[in-house]
């Protein structure tokens, strides 16, 4: 058994670090402790709760956001490491009153049930389409495999992505 | 998560200086393994040195025809780089077989080598584990060991190395370029990861104050006859039970050169000189492949729940060598193993 789980020596708390993030086009200045994940910064500091915390360990994809054009897991990202980055969350996809084609396709194809995985699925799908590597249903499934859906809406998710690809 | 201090490294020399002056510091690159382990309090660094902004992001050909990959190249960029897809498709394939696109976008080349085992006892701080707490015992040897090693194990630890990318790098005979307080050195891939022995807490021969700067691939890429087969509990996004990187150079039916490396079965990517020697100079037939598989697995030792891995590995080796010989590498999208 480990004797202690606390960091060994220095017990004084490190100071907060000033960072700038551009989230969905809006610049935000934040003062964050180094251990704050990008996920917690988005949800708890910027009140953008569309991004979900599923496992908090990189295993489910619910926390997927797009950072500098690449889909990443915000639960395994330290916010301070992304100082200066551009972040897109599910809240930033629609323009004006019009849903993003991927959002519309998820509604048209009934691609969710409880909806907990959905913002991660949608951000992942938006990036997948931009990457341009998935053409067949097999390729979509493979490149979406980092997004788990506990409700098992997978066939409809693939259909929604195919619909959005047709429109793009 | 635990508390820690944070700083950024300005350049490689600064990174080495910072790590040498902070006994409880660790580098962080993609963070996908380290931050996960910190959340479980398996890793408890007092200070993180962020190396993610260092300019070690190039993939370039050297004058001698080798290819140098910067330690901070994301796994996804490496897998899809034209030079890698064309000359080292086995590496591309192995990377695409691992993790998910989000994780591959984050994970760095150097960090992939240093990812720690997925042994569930290693992750569970309430259980004894010699790798996490030297001397506390190994919970896996008499516990649930279905995912564990069959070759190169010790009384102290039977964990596996979880990387897919490293299996291909072992087969390609890559070099690892590192820098430390004493300057730079080159570590051959075979000497990079260690067997557990009685020091399972040490996964690799990298010194604590050293930084990986690059991986170098020899010119020989086996682009014609190769495959990477990964067998796991679900079709995607799961660690290997057994994986095989196989690469051949053929002259007609005759095998001129052979490389065979396995993942999921040992504490390091597993190669066997004798198995490869048994392929060289022979005709590429099923019997030849079976003989190589038998040699590679001759010392295999099963524990209570992982005996199936021995036969699985045998069949995977034969299948992989068949795919390589036929020039029909495993698809990483359509998972049907042909
Ligand atoms: C859910 C999940 C599934 C996964 N599935 C797979 C899979 O199927 N196959 C697979 O191969 N991998 C898989 N991975 C693991 C993933 O590939 C690794 O976590 C990743 O490669 C680590 O790279 P990183 O840059 O994020 O490392 P980090 O987490 O930043 O660092 C890991 C370690 O390396 C050290 N380090 C990093 N860079 C350097 C450097 N340049 N020099 C010296 N030290 C350094 C750090 O100090 C740390 O100790 C999975 C991960 C997760 C979370
Ligand atoms: S196999 Fe290794 S990592 Fe797993 S419990 Fe035993 S000592 Fe720890
Ligand atoms: S919450 Fe990030 S992957 Fe599950
Ligand atoms: S819709 Fe419920 S988890 Fe996907």
């Amino acid at each position: 058994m480990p004797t202690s789980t606390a960091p060994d020596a220095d017990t004084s708390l490190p100071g907060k670090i000033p960072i700038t993030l551009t989230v969905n086009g809006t610049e935000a200045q934040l003062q964050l402790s180094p251990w704050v994940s990008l996920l917690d910064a988005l949800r708890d500091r910027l009140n953008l709760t569309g991004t979900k915390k599923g496992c908090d360990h990189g295993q489910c994809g619910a926390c997927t956001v797009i950072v500098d054009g690449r889909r990443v897991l915000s639960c395994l990202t330290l916010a301070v490491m992304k100082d200066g980055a551009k972040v897109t969350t599910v809240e930033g996809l629609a323009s004006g009153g019009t849903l993003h084609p991927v959002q519309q396709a998820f509604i048209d194809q009934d691609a969710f049930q409880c909806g907990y995985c959905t913002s991660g699925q949608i951000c992942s799908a938006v990036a997948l389409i931009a990457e341009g590597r998935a053409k067949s249903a097999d390729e979509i499934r493979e490149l979406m495999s980092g997004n788990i859906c506990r409700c098992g809406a997978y066939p409809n998710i693939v259909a929604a992505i195919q619909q959005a690809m047709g429109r793009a | 998560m635990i508390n820690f201090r944070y700083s950024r490294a300005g350049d490689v020399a600064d990174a080495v200086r910072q790590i040498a002056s902070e006994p409880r510091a660790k580098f962080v690159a993609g963070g996908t393994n380290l931050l996960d382990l910190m959340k479980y309090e398996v890793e408890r660094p007092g200070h993180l040195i962020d190396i993610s902004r260092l300019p070690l992001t190039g993939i370039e050909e050297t004058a001698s025809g080798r290819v140098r990959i910067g330690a901070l190249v994301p796994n996804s960029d490496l897998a899809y780089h034209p030079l890698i897809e064309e000359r080292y498709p086995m590496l591309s394939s192995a990377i695409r077989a691992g993790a998910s696109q989000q994780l591959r976008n984050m994970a760095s080349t150097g960090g992939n080598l240093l990812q720690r085992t997925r042994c569930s006892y290693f992750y569970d701080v309430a259980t004894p584990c010699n790798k996490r707490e030297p001397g506390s015992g190994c919970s896996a040897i008499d516990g649930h060991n279905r995912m564990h090693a069959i070759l190169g194990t010790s009384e102290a630890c039977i964990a596996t190395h979880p990387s897919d990318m490293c299996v291909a790098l072992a087969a390609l005979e890559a070099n690892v370029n590192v820098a430390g307080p004493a300057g730079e050195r080159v570590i051959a891939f075979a000497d990079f990861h260690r067997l557990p022995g009685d020091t399972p807490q040490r996964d690799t021969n990298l010194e604590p104050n050293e930084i990986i700067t690059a991986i170098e691939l020899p010119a020989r890429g086996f682009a014609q006859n190769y495959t990477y087969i990964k067998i796991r509990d679900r079709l995607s996004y799961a660690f290997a039970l057994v994986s095989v990187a196989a690469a051949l150079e053929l002259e007609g039916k005759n095998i001129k050169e052979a490389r065979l490396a396995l993942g999921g079965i040992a504490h390091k990517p597993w190669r066997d000189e004798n198995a490869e020697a048994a392929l060289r100079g022979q005709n590429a037939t099923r019997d030849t492949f079976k003989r190589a598989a038998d040699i590679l697995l001759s010392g295999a030792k099963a524990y209570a729940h992982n005996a199936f891995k021995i036969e699985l590995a045998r069949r995977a080796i034969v299948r992989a060598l068949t795919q390589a010989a036929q020039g029909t590498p495993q698809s990483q999208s359509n998972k049907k193993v042909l």
Side-chain angles (χ1 to χ4, degrees):
Chain A
M1 291 280 282
T3 44
S4 155
T5 53
D8 304 335
D10 187 354
T11 51
S12 64
L13 281 185
K16 296 196 174 184
I17 297 169
I19 67 159
T20 306
L21 293 175
T22 303
V23 183
N24 301 327
T26 305
E27 201 176 283
Q29 317 275 348
L30 295 164
Q31 296 273 340
L32 296 175
S33 297
W35 51 86
V36 175
S37 68
L38 179 60
L39 175 59
D40 287 344
L42 291 169
R43 288 181 56 86
D44 301 343
R45 311 297 158 100
L46 297 171
N47 295 319
L48 292 168
T49 53
T51 307
K52 301 301 181 210
K53 184 183 283 190
C55 62
D56 209 25
H57 286 283
Q59 299 184 354
C60 75
C63 66
T64 303
V65 298
I66 301 169
V67 176
D68 293 333
R70 306 162 74 93
R71 46 176 161 152
V72 300
L73 301 175
S74 57
C75 72
L76 289 185
T77 301
L78 293 179
V80 291
M81 289 179 70
K82 295 298 164 192
D83 186 13
K86 289 190 172 60
V87 182
T88 303
T89 69
V90 71
E91 290 94 338
L93 293 176
S95 52
T98 312
L99 292 179
H100 186 283
V102 173
Q103 292 175 306
Q104 187 59 52
F106 268 64
I107 294 171
D108 295 346
Q109 299 294 335
D110 204 9
F112 48 87
Q113 290 172 45
C114 76
Y116 201 81
C117 72
T118 308
S119 38
Q121 300 279 2
I122 288 175
C123 285
S124 197
V126 167
L128 168 112
I129 293 170
E131 289 157 11
R133 291 198 183 87
K135 305 275 190 296
S136 66
D138 275 342
E139 288 163 344
I140 293 173
R141 274 191 284 272
E142 171 57 28
L143 288 170
M144 287 295 291
S145 71
N147 292 85
I148 308 287
C149 175
R150 243 40 215 121
C151 299
Y154 298 112
N156 307 52
I157 293 169
V158 173
I161 294 171
Q162 286 176 315
Q163 174 185 322
M165 281 174 163
R167 280 195 198 167
Chain B
M1 209 192 309
I2 59 165
N3 302 329
F4 54 86
R5 285 183 302 282
Y6 169 85
S7 61
R8 286 187 193 130
D11 53 30
V12 170
D14 180 41
V16 170
R17 221 172 11 250
Q18 286 197 39
I19 198 131
S21 67
E22 278 273 356
R24 295 187 52 250
K26 270 191 161 293
F27 295 130
V28 60
T32 60
N33 191 227
L34 182 57
L35 299 180
D36 187 26
L37 289 166
M38 286 166 65
K39 289 183 184 194
Y40 286 112
E41 302 194 7
V42 173
E43 299 269 18
R44 288 176 289 143
H47 185 147
L48 287 191
I49 302 163
D50 179 358
I51 57 170
S52 67
R53 291 168 194 245
L54 296 184
L56 306 171
T57 52
I59 300 178
E60 64 239 351
E61 219 172 327
T62 67
S64 56
R66 298 166 68 83
V67 170
R68 188 184 297 124
I69 302 157
L72 289 162
V73 173
N75 289 181
S76 52
D77 287 7
L78 182 56
Y80 294 118
H81 194 278
L83 200 58
I84 304 299
E85 284 194 310
E86 191 185 309
R87 284 178 52 184
Y88 308 97
M90 182 168 64
L91 177 57
S92 217
S93 181
I95 295 169
R96 286 188 286 124
S100 67
Q101 184 67 9
Q102 288 97 313
L103 284 159
R104 294 189 295 265
N105 277 340
M106 303 167 74
S108 66
T109 301
N112 192 308
L113 269 61
L114 295 167
Q115 63 176 295
R116 308 211 66 193
T117 185
R118 293 278 159 174
C119 171
S120 48
Y121 301 106
F122 175 70
Y123 267 79
D124 180 355
V125 295
T127 62
C129 166
N130 287 325
K131 188 181 279 298
R132 179 168 31 76
E133 289 277 330
S136 63
C138 171
S139 297
I141 279 194
D142 296 313
H144 288 283
N145 46 39
R146 181 171 174 273
M147 297 298 291
H148 288 73
I150 53 173
L151 281 162
T153 54
S154 72
E155 288 297 300
C157 179
I158 61 170
T160 61
H161 192 260
S163 171
D164 291 292
M165 183 179 94
C166 290
V167 181
L169 290 176
L172 290 167
E173 297 190 341
N175 282 336
V176 186
N177 297 358
V178 312
E184 298 179 5
R185 65 180 180 126
V186 176
I187 308 173
F189 210 81
D191 301 328
F192 188 79
H193 295 99
R194 295 162 58 97
L195 289 179
D198 54 12
T199 53
Q201 68 273 22
R202 285 200 68 188
D203 296 343
T204 71
N205 287 316
L206 190 74
E207 296 297 332
N209 291 346
E210 285 180 320
I211 182 171
I212 301 175
T213 55
I215 303 293
E216 267 192 37
L217 300 174
R220 201 175 207 171
F222 300 91
Q224 301 306 314
N225 293 96
Y226 74 93
T227 198
Y228 186 75
I229 296 184
K230 179 178 184 184
I231 297 164
R232 48 196 141 174
D233 284 326
R234 55 185 186 204
L235 280 181
S236 186
Y237 204 21
F239 288 95
L241 293 165
V242 170
S243 72
V244 184
L248 299 171
E249 267 176 23
L250 297 172
E251 222 174 71
K253 286 232 104 190
N254 199 261
I255 301 170
K256 290 284 148 205
E257 175 63 8
R259 302 282 174 81
L260 186 60
L262 272 75
I265 62 158
H267 199 259
K268 61 188 284 189
W270 191 264
R271 274 182 75 190
D272 185 321
E273 287 282 313
N274 296 328
E276 290 176 10
L279 292 165
R280 269 181 223 115
Q282 303 298 311
N283 279 345
T285 64
R286 206 178 156 77
D287 284 343
T288 308
F289 301 157
K290 275 184 167 162
R291 222 167 16 249
D294 286 341
I295 293 170
L296 189 140
L297 293 162
S298 57
K301 175 174 185 255
Y303 296 84
H305 309 114
N306 69 354
F308 75 98
K309 279 195 179 187
I310 298 177
E311 184 58 23
L312 190 62
R314 194 185 316 279
R315 294 182 190 199
I317 291 169
V318 173
R319 194 64 69 98
L321 287 166
T322 307
Q323 287 188 348
Q326 291 173 346
T328 52
Q330 178 63 41
S331 161
Q332 300 302 351
S333 304
N334 178 343
K335 298 301 174 57
K336 201 160 181 186
V337 179
L338 295 170

